[in-house]
Each structure stands twice: as C-alpha cells, then as structure tokens.
Amino acid sequence: MAGASSTWRRNLAGCLAVVAGVLALSFGVPAIDDALPDNTVSSTTPLEFAVNASVVPPPDASVVAGQTSPEQGVVTLDVDGVRYRLTAESFPGTLQQLADRIRAEVQNISGVQAISDDQQVTSNSGIPGLQATFVAENRTGWYTVYLFGGTGVTSVVDGNDAGVTAHRDALETSVRTVTIEQVA
C-alpha cells in the first residue's frame, strides 16, 4: 500500500507542475506580447525610408524591423502577411534599365512562373515609373520602379494570392504615394 501512496503523490506533483506551466504560458505570453512595441505605422503620414524618399504606408502596415534600414534606404512592411519592400538607391541608368534589373532579380526567385510586360505608371507626385506583375508557386505580387534625379526607388509586393487580393487596392494606393526629392 505504501507504494500506491507514493505513486499518487508523484502523479499529483506532476499534474500540479503541468497546471502551473499552462498558467504561466496563458498569462505570461500575452503579457510579453503586450510589452513589445507596436510597429504599426501611420497610413496618413509619409514614412521616410531614405534621405530623399518616402511613402505613405497602407492601413494596418507594420514595419519589419529586421529587414528595415533607413540608413541603407530600405523599409519592409508587413500587411496581413503580405510583404511590401521599398528600396531607394543612387541609379545612373534609365528607368527601363532599373526595371530590367529588378525583373532579372524577380525571375531568379525560386518558383517564379511568369512576369507580365512592364506597364507605365505615374506616382501621385508625377514621377514616371514602370510596373509588372508576377506569379509564383503559392504566391503572387508585383514590382514598381520609379526614377527621379538619379535616385531609383523599387517597390516589391509579394504574398499569397488571398492576402495580395484582399489588400491590393490599399497597396497600389501606397505605391503611388512614393516621393523622391532632388538631392542637392
């Protein structure tokens, strides 16, 4: 009988340890989540992502801190699982050369099946650009390039079909808000 009593006590101790662990996770993880800073950015104020380039993010966009460096002219935003990455860099070539370079980069992404022809677009501030859509395994997206005053801005939107479709209008609107200031 003494053996049964010690087994019961060990089982009770084990159960209490499991309950304590579940409670710690139930209350601890949300507390940690609440303590982390909110990386959501304003959808009404331009976000400067380079010394001379900015964009108005779409609603519910969050900055992906590990993939963002304004010092290097890069910002990556997440919109409900859709990746929206903008880069600004000095570019001495033509708009078509910039689009060709980005097209080559997109074609080299594993799983890309097709890319449309470049279409002319214009930003809200009148900067001419080129845009093309692409389809890949389990995802879709598009790139847009603008060139003004020797600065090229590239925007790449990439995500699953449902996410891109659900947020396409907001993302398209945001891409059109890209501004590039003339560097003195």
Side-chain angles (χ1 to χ4, degrees):
M1 225 29 176
S5 175
S6 90
T7 302
W8 178 84
R9 286 186 185 130
R10 276 185 293 175
N11 285 344
L12 178 61
C15 288
L16 291 175
V18 169
V19 169
V22 169
L23 288 174
L25 288 173
S26 296
F27 294 107
V29 171
I32 291 170
D33 187 47
D34 291 342
L36 294 174
D38 183 10
N39 290 334
T40 302
V41 291
S42 171
S43 63
T44 59
T45 306
L47 174 66
E48 190 173 285
F49 62 95
V51 172
N52 64 332
S54 65
V55 67
V56 177
D60 302 320
S62 299
V63 173
V64 180
Q67 299 176 17
T68 296
S69 175
E71 296 81 26
Q72 296 177 354
V74 178
V75 65
T76 302
L77 303 171
D78 177 81
V79 182
D80 197 22
V82 176
R83 189 180 91 138
Y84 177 28
R85 183 176 178 92
L86 295 113
T87 59
E89 63 183 321
S90 176
F91 191 78
T94 66
L95 180 62
Q96 187 62 58
Q97 289 170 329
L98 180 59
D100 291 345
R101 189 182 85 194
I102 299 307
R103 174 182 291 276
E105 289 177 17
V106 169
Q107 283 176 328
N108 286 329
I109 296 172
S110 176
V112 171
Q113 298 169 342
I115 302 176
S116 72
D117 291 336
D118 291 331
Q119 302 296 315
Q120 291 184 354
V121 294
T122 304
S123 73
N124 294 348
S125 59
I127 303 169
L130 293 172
Q131 184 176 68
T133 58
F134 58 88
V135 177
E137 295 174 15
N138 301 319
R139 65 184 197 274
T140 187
W142 71 90
Y143 66 81
T144 306
V145 295
Y146 295 108
L147 182 63
F148 178 73
T151 299
V153 170
T154 302
S155 160
V156 178
V157 173
D158 182 20
N160 65 43
D161 291 340
V164 170
T165 300
H167 299 285
R168 185 169 192 103
D169 290 343
L171 288 160
E172 283 276 2
T173 299
S174 176
V175 169
R176 297 287 193 275
T177 67
V178 166
T179 59
I180 305 170
E181 300 296 326
Q182 185 72 40
V183 178

